[in-house]
Amino acid sequence: MMMYLLYILIGLLIVLGVNLAITAFWAVHDMYVHRDREDQDLTTFKKYFVKNNNIPTKMSDIFN
């Protein structure tokens, strides 16, 4: 029984890790594409990361 919970937890961590890696990739890609219009800094990365993220970052986003 305990091994099943461990497998589920590891699976969720893998899914979340891959999602964050893909989201970060697309955020960097968007920063590169729009580099002539915007500064290359952390706030620009955050803007595109939030735009590309498909997992809610706040509990209130789940219920909207």
Side-chain angles (χ1 to χ4, degrees), residues 12-25:
L12 286 174
L13 288 175
I14 290 170
V15 168
L16 288 174
V18 169
N19 181 47
L20 289 175
I22 291 172
T23 303
F25 168 78

Side-chain angles (χ1 to χ4, degrees), residues 1-42:
M1 176 67 179
M2 197 63 159
M3 291 301 287
Y4 291 124
L5 294 175
L6 181 65
Y7 293 151
I8 291 171
L9 180 65
I10 290 172
L12 286 174
L13 288 175
I14 290 170
V15 168
L16 288 174
V18 169
N19 181 47
L20 289 175
I22 291 172
T23 303
F25 168 78
W26 284 114
V28 170
H29 175 267
D30 287 345
M31 281 178 58
Y32 180 74
V33 168
H34 302 293
R35 71 184 177 275
D36 53 341
R37 287 185 264 160
E38 296 180 281
D39 293 333
Q40 300 295 313
D41 57 0
L42 189 59

